[in-house]
């Protein structure tokens, strides 16, 4: 088999003020790193896909049409743009639509191949009628809704391992019984208000690698057994890392690899297709994020392709 990866250069094509804390270049850096570091054999095992932008009608079927019209037409009040955290630009809108199209395509590829990985995605703080925390529209919820339209998919599970709670996803899908939301996050981190997901695992600041993996694996097993999803969407945020600038956990690099491997192998063993997105990760030096995010692809190559495990930094 081949490992499908979804990427578009537009993901990193956004001009931001100097010192803006969003690591916009990490998508391009991750793509370049993978291209440069994989051996010829490994490259044969990967197939790249470029997405199309998601349609505005699909977005409006999930988000409030007035919010979307104002967002896309640059007529949102300044306070609402500040809550999103990006200056408005046409580039921002185009990049956002493409990224949601990418997560949707990743779901289609996961259904065909058992696995798909999106080198973007995870905009889980976007709510029905407002955006927040660098999230304009919720690609996870859009992709999950799309998945339910596919033959043989009656239940979707979103596993959100970003260190921040998946508040937008939880509220957008609160009345959707066929999409199960599972957030594992830091209890004292953004957002201040954490509406209930179907399953929430809130861990304290300074949670260590062993504490994290032990708590998460237990709840993961229970959740998969209870809901028996036909497809998983996995937000593999690396902002749980001990040196992340917006996370408060004490999880090491190898711990993130183990977490990714746990989710991917559980899904593979249970025969559940998994669509993964890279999610959050915040470091002033964007290149430092790349190896953390690349572990998701390395883990998938090991679990799905039987490639030997690459060397990762020990804790
Ligand atoms: Zn985050």
């Amino acid at each position: 088999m081949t490992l499908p990866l979804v990427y578009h250069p537009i993901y990193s094509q956004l001009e931001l003020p100097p010192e803006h804390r969003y690591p916009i270049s990490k998508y391009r850096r991750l793509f370049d790193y993978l291209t440069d570091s994989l051996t010829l054999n490994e490259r044969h095992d990967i197939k790249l896909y470029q997405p199309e932008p998601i349609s505005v009608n699909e977005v409006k079927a999930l988000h409030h049409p007035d919010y979307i019209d104002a967002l896309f037409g640059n007529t949102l009040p300044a306070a609402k743009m500040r809550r999103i955290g990006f200056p408005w630009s046409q580039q921002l809108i185009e990049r956002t639509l493409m990224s949601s199209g990418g997560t949707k395509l990743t779901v289609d590829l996961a259904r065909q191949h058992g696995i798909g990985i999106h080198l973007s995605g995870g905009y889980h703080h976007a709510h029905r009628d407002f955006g927040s925390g660098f999230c304009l529209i919720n690609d996870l919820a859009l992709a999950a809704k799309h998945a339910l339209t596919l033959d043989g998919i009656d239940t979707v599970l979103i596993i959100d391992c970003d260190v921040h709670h998946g508040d937008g996803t939880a509220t957008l899908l609160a009345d959707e019984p066929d999409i199960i939301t599972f957030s594992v996050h830091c209890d004292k981190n953004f957002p201040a208000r954490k509406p209930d997901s179907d399953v929430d695992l809130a861990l304290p600041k300074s949670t260590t690698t062993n504490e994290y993996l032990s708590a998460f694996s237990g709840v993961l097993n229970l959740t998969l057994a209870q809901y028996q999803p036909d497809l998983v969407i996995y937000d593999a945020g690396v902002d749980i890392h001990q040196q992340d600038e917006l996370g408060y956990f004490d999880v090491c690099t190898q711990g993130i690899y183990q977490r990714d491997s746990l989710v991917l192998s559980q899904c593979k063993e249970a025969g559940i297709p998994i669509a993964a997105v890279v999610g959050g990760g915040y470091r002033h030096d964007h290149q430092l994020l790349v190896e953390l995010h690349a572990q998701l692809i390395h883990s998938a190559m090991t679990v799905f392709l039987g490639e030997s495990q690459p060397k990762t930094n020990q804790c």
Side-chain angles (χ1 to χ4, degrees):
M1 71 170 285
T2 53
L3 178 66
L5 293 188
V6 175
Y7 173 74
H8 197 291
I10 200 174
Y11 295 159
S12 283
Q13 290 166 1
L14 180 64
E15 278 156 41
L16 293 175
E19 300 308 309
H20 193 284
R21 78 185 326 171
Y22 194 82
I24 194 69
S25 79
K26 75 176 183 181
Y27 308 101
R28 173 180 48 76
R29 288 171 186 270
L30 176 59
F31 178 78
D32 289 347
Y33 175 85
L34 291 169
T35 314
D36 294 345
S37 66
L38 296 176
T39 64
L40 212 53
N41 277 347
E42 287 170 334
R43 267 183 247 170
H44 278 302
D45 291 338
I46 283 182
K47 185 153 184 212
L48 274 174
Y49 293 83
Q50 258 197 13
E52 300 281 328
I54 202 159
S55 76
V56 175
N57 283 345
E58 275 177 276
V59 177
K60 286 185 175 177
L62 179 75
H63 289 278
H64 197 295
D66 292 347
Y67 164 58
I68 296 304
D69 284 339
L71 175 67
F72 290 4
N74 189 19
T75 58
L76 270 187
K80 291 207 165 188
M81 277 313 294
R82 274 200 300 278
R83 187 167 190 178
I84 288 171
F86 288 127
W88 192 92
S89 64
Q90 191 61 43
Q91 251 179 336
L92 174 67
I93 302 304
E94 284 169 18
R95 177 193 176 280
T96 297
L97 289 170
M98 190 67 81
S99 187
S100 275
T103 303
K104 179 183 168 188
L105 173 61
T106 307
V107 160
D108 289 335
L109 292 166
R111 186 161 160 275
Q112 290 163 30
H113 301 275
I115 172 81
I117 297 181
H118 186 201
L119 304 185
S120 176
Y123 297 97
H124 58 171
H125 301 309
H127 292 249
R128 180 165 150 74
D129 58 0
F130 66 96
S132 117
F134 308 135
C135 305
L136 288 75
I137 62 176
N138 195 308
D139 62 308
L140 301 171
L142 285 165
K145 287 270 196 185
H146 166 69
L148 288 182
T149 68
L150 304 174
D151 281 346
I153 298 183
D154 299 321
T155 305
V156 176
L157 170 64
I158 299 176
I159 302 174
D160 184 344
C161 285
D162 189 285
V163 78
H164 304 102
H165 180 259
D167 58 336
T169 319
T171 54
L172 277 165
L173 300 172
D175 298 325
E176 178 50 79
D178 298 326
I179 304 175
I180 312 303
T181 54
F182 170 20
S183 177
V184 48
H185 52 271
C186 177
D187 62 355
K188 293 286 191 302
N189 205 329
F190 180 89
R193 188 176 157 270
K194 298 175 179 62
D196 288 344
S197 314
D198 293 299
V199 182
D200 278 301
L201 174 59
L203 298 170
K205 282 184 178 180
S206 304
T207 289
T208 64
T209 302
N210 286 343
E211 290 165 347
Y212 182 93
L213 291 172
S214 159
F216 174 57
S217 65
V219 178
L220 175 67
N221 287 338
L222 285 172
T223 304
L224 287 171
Q226 181 178 350
Y227 293 103
Q228 305 200 350
D230 303 306
L231 181 120
V232 161
I233 298 175
Y234 173 44
D235 182 334
V238 300
D239 43 13
I240 65 167
H241 191 265
Q242 54 203 179
Q243 285 166 327
D244 192 89
E245 287 158 16
L246 298 184
Y248 302 125
F249 282 166
D250 191 18
V251 177
C252 69
T253 301
Q254 175 70 10
I256 295 176
Y257 184 84
Q258 287 175 292
R259 177 201 67 180
D260 291 344
S261 300
L262 183 69
V263 177
L264 294 171
S265 58
Q266 294 271 36
C267 287
K268 180 167 185 266
E269 278 165 32
I272 306 165
I274 177 165
V277 305
V278 296
Y282 302 91
R283 298 280 283 275
H284 206 71
D285 182 340
H286 302 176
Q287 194 62 27
L288 293 175
L289 291 168
V290 166
E291 285 186 38
L292 299 179
H293 284 304
Q295 291 191 120
L296 173 65
I297 292 88
H298 290 146
S299 170
M301 292 176 78
T302 303
V303 171
F304 283 87
L305 304 177
E307 307 274 358
S308 59
Q309 186 171 321
K311 289 194 190 94
T312 52
N313 298 334
Q314 295 302 306
C315 291

